[in-house]
Amino acid sequence: MDYKEIQNLIKLINDSNIAEFKLINDDIDLTIRTKDYHKKAVFAPPTNLNYQPVPQTVITHQETIPNNLGNTDSDLKAVEKTSEPVSKNNVKEIKSPIVGTFYRSPSPDKEPYVKIGDNVSEKTTVCIVEAMKLFNEIEAELSGKIVDILVEDGSPVEYDQVLFLVETKN
C-alpha cells in the first residue's frame, strides 16, 4: 500500500461515519481513528472507589414493572435476590434517571442505603449514581419493601436501567 492509497483511505473514512478503522496486512498494520472515536468510547467504572459523596442533586424516578421479571443468575452475579415469592402486580421499578456509576452506600466503609427486605418511603435515598464527578442521590419516590437489587455496587448503569424492585402495598 503506497502513500496515495493511504491518503485516499483516510479521506474515505473521514467522509463516512466510521469511528475506527484497522487494516492488518502482511507488511502493514494501520489504525485510523476519526474525531468521533472518543465520542463513542465505552464508559469504564472508576478504579479508585475511595470516594466521598457530596450530594449535588436529588433525582428521583419510578415506573411500573413490565410482565417479564426475568434476569438470569449470570446477569446478577453478586446482586442480592429475595427468596420470598413476589406478586408481579404489586412490584414497581426504581430506574436510573441518568448514566453513571451505581453505589449502594454513601462511602465504601458505610452500610448500604437499603437492603432486600427494607421498607422505603417516597423520600428514602436508595443509592447514589455518580455522573461526571457529581454524586446524585436517588430517592425511591414510592413506598414499599425492597424485594430485589438488580445492579452490583460500583457497576456502570444506563439511563432508565432498573436498579431496584419494590413491592408496594396497593
Side-chain angles (χ1 to χ4, degrees), residues 144-164:
K145 182 171 90 173
I146 301 288
V147 293
D148 221 343
I149 301 172
L150 303 173
V151 181
E152 193 173 338
D153 194 41
S155 297
V157 293
E158 298 292 325
Y159 169 75
D160 219 24
Q161 179 177 344
V162 179
L163 305 175
F164 300 91

PDB file of all heavy atoms in Angstrom, residues 144-164:
ATOM      1  N   GLY A 144     -42.887   1.077  49.922  1.00  0.00           N
ATOM      2  CA  GLY A 144     -42.980  -0.366  49.812  1.00  0.00           C
ATOM      3  C   GLY A 144     -41.767  -1.035  50.392  1.00  0.00           C
ATOM      4  O   GLY A 144     -40.997  -0.434  51.147  1.00  0.00           O
ATOM      5  N   LYS A 145     -41.562  -2.305  50.002  1.00  0.00           N
ATOM      6  CA  LYS A 145     -40.453  -3.112  50.514  1.00  0.00           C
ATOM      7  C   LYS A 145     -39.534  -3.497  49.365  1.00  0.00           C
ATOM      8  O   LYS A 145     -39.992  -3.953  48.317  1.00  0.00           O
ATOM      9  CB  LYS A 145     -41.019  -4.368  51.189  1.00  0.00           C
ATOM     10  CG  LYS A 145     -39.957  -5.261  51.803  1.00  0.00           C
ATOM     11  CD  LYS A 145     -40.569  -6.361  52.647  1.00  0.00           C
ATOM     12  CE  LYS A 145     -40.811  -7.570  51.792  1.00  0.00           C
ATOM     13  NZ  LYS A 145     -41.249  -8.754  52.551  1.00  0.00           N
ATOM     14  N   ILE A 146     -38.234  -3.304  49.557  1.00  0.00           N
ATOM     15  CA  ILE A 146     -37.238  -3.690  48.548  1.00  0.00           C
ATOM     16  C   ILE A 146     -37.255  -5.217  48.437  1.00  0.00           C
ATOM     17  O   ILE A 146     -37.048  -5.914  49.421  1.00  0.00           O
ATOM     18  CB  ILE A 146     -35.825  -3.217  48.935  1.00  0.00           C
ATOM     19  CG1 ILE A 146     -35.757  -1.700  49.095  1.00  0.00           C
ATOM     20  CG2 ILE A 146     -34.785  -3.723  47.935  1.00  0.00           C
ATOM     21  CD1 ILE A 146     -35.827  -0.907  47.818  1.00  0.00           C
ATOM     22  N   VAL A 147     -37.524  -5.736  47.224  1.00  0.00           N
ATOM     23  CA  VAL A 147     -37.550  -7.185  47.024  1.00  0.00           C
ATOM     24  C   VAL A 147     -36.407  -7.670  46.136  1.00  0.00           C
ATOM     25  O   VAL A 147     -36.128  -8.862  46.099  1.00  0.00           O
ATOM     26  CB  VAL A 147     -38.905  -7.673  46.445  1.00  0.00           C
ATOM     27  CG1 VAL A 147     -40.013  -7.476  47.464  1.00  0.00           C
ATOM     28  CG2 VAL A 147     -39.234  -7.012  45.134  1.00  0.00           C
ATOM     29  N   ASP A 148     -35.732  -6.760  45.431  1.00  0.00           N
ATOM     30  CA  ASP A 148     -34.628  -7.167  44.576  1.00  0.00           C
ATOM     31  C   ASP A 148     -33.719  -5.977  44.296  1.00  0.00           C
ATOM     32  O   ASP A 148     -34.198  -4.847  44.110  1.00  0.00           O
ATOM     33  CB  ASP A 148     -35.146  -7.723  43.252  1.00  0.00           C
ATOM     34  CG  ASP A 148     -34.380  -8.946  42.779  1.00  0.00           C
ATOM     35  OD1 ASP A 148     -33.268  -9.180  43.290  1.00  0.00           O
ATOM     36  OD2 ASP A 148     -34.897  -9.659  41.918  1.00  0.00           O
ATOM     37  N   ILE A 149     -32.421  -6.221  44.265  1.00  0.00           N
ATOM     38  CA  ILE A 149     -31.423  -5.232  43.874  1.00  0.00           C
ATOM     39  C   ILE A 149     -30.740  -5.812  42.643  1.00  0.00           C
ATOM     40  O   ILE A 149     -30.110  -6.856  42.711  1.00  0.00           O
ATOM     41  CB  ILE A 149     -30.420  -4.968  45.011  1.00  0.00           C
ATOM     42  CG1 ILE A 149     -31.173  -4.461  46.247  1.00  0.00           C
ATOM     43  CG2 ILE A 149     -29.362  -3.965  44.562  1.00  0.00           C
ATOM     44  CD1 ILE A 149     -30.324  -4.346  47.499  1.00  0.00           C
ATOM     45  N   LEU A 150     -30.895  -5.130  41.516  1.00  0.00           N
ATOM     46  CA  LEU A 150     -30.514  -5.699  40.227  1.00  0.00           C
ATOM     47  C   LEU A 150     -29.148  -5.256  39.711  1.00  0.00           C
ATOM     48  O   LEU A 150     -28.745  -5.672  38.625  1.00  0.00           O
ATOM     49  CB  LEU A 150     -31.585  -5.372  39.182  1.00  0.00           C
ATOM     50  CG  LEU A 150     -32.998  -5.837  39.541  1.00  0.00           C
ATOM     51  CD1 LEU A 150     -33.995  -5.320  38.522  1.00  0.00           C
ATOM     52  CD2 LEU A 150     -33.052  -7.340  39.633  1.00  0.00           C
ATOM     53  N   VAL A 151     -28.444  -4.396  40.457  1.00  0.00           N
ATOM     54  CA  VAL A 151     -27.168  -3.864  39.985  1.00  0.00           C
ATOM     55  C   VAL A 151     -26.108  -4.089  41.053  1.00  0.00           C
ATOM     56  O   VAL A 151     -26.367  -3.914  42.238  1.00  0.00           O
ATOM     57  CB  VAL A 151     -27.292  -2.354  39.663  1.00  0.00           C
ATOM     58  CG1 VAL A 151     -25.982  -1.800  39.155  1.00  0.00           C
ATOM     59  CG2 VAL A 151     -28.393  -2.106  38.641  1.00  0.00           C
ATOM     60  N   GLU A 152     -24.929  -4.462  40.610  1.00  0.00           N
ATOM     61  CA  GLU A 152     -23.808  -4.684  41.515  1.00  0.00           C
ATOM     62  C   GLU A 152     -23.161  -3.342  41.874  1.00  0.00           C
ATOM     63  O   GLU A 152     -23.033  -2.449  41.028  1.00  0.00           O
ATOM     64  CB  GLU A 152     -22.789  -5.589  40.820  1.00  0.00           C
ATOM     65  CG  GLU A 152     -21.743  -6.138  41.723  1.00  0.00           C
ATOM     66  CD  GLU A 152     -20.868  -7.162  41.030  1.00  0.00           C
ATOM     67  OE1 GLU A 152     -21.286  -7.748  40.022  1.00  0.00           O
ATOM     68  OE2 GLU A 152     -19.756  -7.359  41.515  1.00  0.00           O
ATOM     69  N   ASP A 153     -22.760  -3.196  43.124  1.00  0.00           N
ATOM     70  CA  ASP A 153     -22.129  -1.970  43.606  1.00  0.00           C
ATOM     71  C   ASP A 153     -20.892  -1.643  42.774  1.00  0.00           C
ATOM     72  O   ASP A 153     -20.065  -2.505  42.504  1.00  0.00           O
ATOM     73  CB  ASP A 153     -21.743  -2.138  45.081  1.00  0.00           C
ATOM     74  CG  ASP A 153     -21.388  -0.819  45.733  1.00  0.00           C
ATOM     75  OD1 ASP A 153     -22.075   0.188  45.470  1.00  0.00           O
ATOM     76  OD2 ASP A 153     -20.420  -0.790  46.509  1.00  0.00           O
ATOM     77  N   GLY A 154     -20.781  -0.392  42.342  1.00  0.00           N
ATOM     78  CA  GLY A 154     -19.642   0.049  41.547  1.00  0.00           C
ATOM     79  C   GLY A 154     -19.780  -0.198  40.059  1.00  0.00           C
ATOM     80  O   GLY A 154     -18.865   0.095  39.297  1.00  0.00           O
ATOM     81  N   SER A 155     -20.928  -0.713  39.630  1.00  0.00           N
ATOM     82  CA  SER A 155     -21.143  -1.013  38.209  1.00  0.00           C
ATOM     83  C   SER A 155     -21.647   0.209  37.459  1.00  0.00           C
ATOM     84  O   SER A 155     -22.393   1.016  38.002  1.00  0.00           O
ATOM     85  CB  SER A 155     -22.183  -2.121  38.049  1.00  0.00           C
ATOM     86  OG  SER A 155     -21.742  -3.301  38.631  1.00  0.00           O
ATOM     87  N   PRO A 156     -21.300   0.322  36.181  1.00  0.00           N
ATOM     88  CA  PRO A 156     -21.885   1.383  35.365  1.00  0.00           C
ATOM     89  C   PRO A 156     -23.354   1.075  35.100  1.00  0.00           C
ATOM     90  O   PRO A 156     -23.735  -0.084  34.944  1.00  0.00           O
ATOM     91  CB  PRO A 156     -21.071   1.358  34.076  1.00  0.00           C
ATOM     92  CG  PRO A 156     -20.382   0.043  34.056  1.00  0.00           C
ATOM     93  CD  PRO A 156     -20.308  -0.459  35.458  1.00  0.00           C
ATOM     94  N   VAL A 157     -24.180   2.118  35.090  1.00  0.00           N
ATOM     95  CA  VAL A 157     -25.604   1.959  34.779  1.00  0.00           C
ATOM     96  C   VAL A 157     -25.975   2.894  33.634  1.00  0.00           C
ATOM     97  O   VAL A 157     -25.366   3.928  33.439  1.00  0.00           O
ATOM     98  CB  VAL A 157     -26.510   2.228  36.010  1.00  0.00           C
ATOM     99  CG1 VAL A 157     -26.308   1.178  37.077  1.00  0.00           C
ATOM    100  CG2 VAL A 157     -26.291   3.608  36.583  1.00  0.00           C
ATOM    101  N   GLU A 158     -26.983   2.487  32.909  1.00  0.00           N
ATOM    102  CA  GLU A 158     -27.501   3.256  31.783  1.00  0.00           C
ATOM    103  C   GLU A 158     -28.736   4.041  32.214  1.00  0.00           C
ATOM    104  O   GLU A 158     -29.365   3.729  33.214  1.00  0.00           O
ATOM    105  CB  GLU A 158     -27.878   2.320  30.628  1.00  0.00           C
ATOM    106  CG  GLU A 158     -26.731   1.531  30.069  1.00  0.00           C
ATOM    107  CD  GLU A 158     -25.717   2.401  29.355  1.00  0.00           C
ATOM    108  OE1 GLU A 158     -26.108   3.400  28.720  1.00  0.00           O
ATOM    109  OE2 GLU A 158     -24.517   2.093  29.446  1.00  0.00           O
ATOM    110  N   TYR A 159     -29.111   5.013  31.409  1.00  0.00           N
ATOM    111  CA  TYR A 159     -30.353   5.736  31.626  1.00  0.00           C
ATOM    112  C   TYR A 159     -31.523   4.755  31.547  1.00  0.00           C
ATOM    113  O   TYR A 159     -31.553   3.899  30.676  1.00  0.00           O
ATOM    114  CB  TYR A 159     -30.524   6.831  30.564  1.00  0.00           C
ATOM    115  CG  TYR A 159     -31.907   7.443  30.550  1.00  0.00           C
ATOM    116  CD1 TYR A 159     -32.298   8.331  31.532  1.00  0.00           C
ATOM    117  CD2 TYR A 159     -32.824   7.092  29.576  1.00  0.00           C
ATOM    118  CE1 TYR A 159     -33.568   8.878  31.545  1.00  0.00           C
ATOM    119  CE2 TYR A 159     -34.099   7.623  29.571  1.00  0.00           C
ATOM    120  CZ  TYR A 159     -34.461   8.516  30.557  1.00  0.00           C
ATOM    121  OH  TYR A 159     -35.726   9.043  30.564  1.00  0.00           O
ATOM    122  N   ASP A 160     -32.431   4.830  32.476  1.00  0.00           N
ATOM    123  CA  ASP A 160     -33.658   4.030  32.509  1.00  0.00           C
ATOM    124  C   ASP A 160     -33.400   2.554  32.843  1.00  0.00           C
ATOM    125  O   ASP A 160     -34.282   1.734  32.678  1.00  0.00           O
ATOM    126  CB  ASP A 160     -34.405   4.148  31.170  1.00  0.00           C
ATOM    127  CG  ASP A 160     -35.907   4.233  31.378  1.00  0.00           C
ATOM    128  OD1 ASP A 160     -36.340   4.652  32.462  1.00  0.00           O
ATOM    129  OD2 ASP A 160     -36.648   3.853  30.454  1.00  0.00           O
ATOM    130  N   GLN A 161     -32.206   2.209  33.324  1.00  0.00           N
ATOM    131  CA  GLN A 161     -31.915   0.833  33.739  1.00  0.00           C
ATOM    132  C   GLN A 161     -32.559   0.591  35.099  1.00  0.00           C
ATOM    133  O   GLN A 161     -32.473   1.416  36.001  1.00  0.00           O
ATOM    134  CB  GLN A 161     -30.406   0.619  33.830  1.00  0.00           C
ATOM    135  CG  GLN A 161     -30.019  -0.783  34.270  1.00  0.00           C
ATOM    136  CD  GLN A 161     -28.512  -0.992  34.273  1.00  0.00           C
ATOM    137  OE1 GLN A 161     -27.752  -0.230  33.687  1.00  0.00           O
ATOM    138  NE2 GLN A 161     -28.080  -2.032  34.958  1.00  0.00           N
ATOM    139  N   VAL A 162     -33.185  -0.571  35.264  1.00  0.00           N
ATOM    140  CA  VAL A 162     -33.839  -0.911  36.522  1.00  0.00           C
ATOM    141  C   VAL A 162     -32.769  -1.212  37.569  1.00  0.00           C
ATOM    142  O   VAL A 162     -31.874  -2.030  37.351  1.00  0.00           O
ATOM    143  CB  VAL A 162     -34.787  -2.124  36.357  1.00  0.00           C
ATOM    144  CG1 VAL A 162     -35.447  -2.466  37.688  1.00  0.00           C
ATOM    145  CG2 VAL A 162     -35.841  -1.838  35.300  1.00  0.00           C
ATOM    146  N   LEU A 163     -32.872  -0.529  38.718  1.00  0.00           N
ATOM    147  CA  LEU A 163     -31.918  -0.696  39.805  1.00  0.00           C
ATOM    148  C   LEU A 163     -32.492  -1.563  40.935  1.00  0.00           C
ATOM    149  O   LEU A 163     -31.812  -2.426  41.459  1.00  0.00           O
ATOM    150  CB  LEU A 163     -31.533   0.660  40.385  1.00  0.00           C
ATOM    151  CG  LEU A 163     -31.001   1.702  39.397  1.00  0.00           C
ATOM    152  CD1 LEU A 163     -30.791   3.033  40.095  1.00  0.00           C
ATOM    153  CD2 LEU A 163     -29.722   1.221  38.745  1.00  0.00           C
ATOM    154  N   PHE A 164     -33.755  -1.295  41.294  1.00  0.00           N
ATOM    155  CA  PHE A 164     -34.403  -1.972  42.410  1.00  0.00           C
ATOM    156  C   PHE A 164     -35.812  -2.383  42.014  1.00  0.00           C
ATOM    157  O   PHE A 164     -36.453  -1.725  41.184  1.00  0.00           O
ATOM    158  CB  PHE A 164     -34.541  -1.039  43.623  1.00  0.00           C
ATOM    159  CG  PHE A 164     -33.231  -0.527  44.162  1.00  0.00           C
ATOM    160  CD1 PHE A 164     -32.680   0.656  43.723  1.00  0.00           C
ATOM    161  CD2 PHE A 164     -32.569  -1.228  45.154  1.00  0.00           C
ATOM    162  CE1 PHE A 164     -31.490   1.131  44.228  1.00  0.00           C
ATOM    163  CE2 PHE A 164     -31.372  -0.763  45.681  1.00  0.00           C
ATOM    164  CZ  PHE A 164     -30.831   0.419  45.212  1.00  0.00           C
TER     165      PHE A 164
END
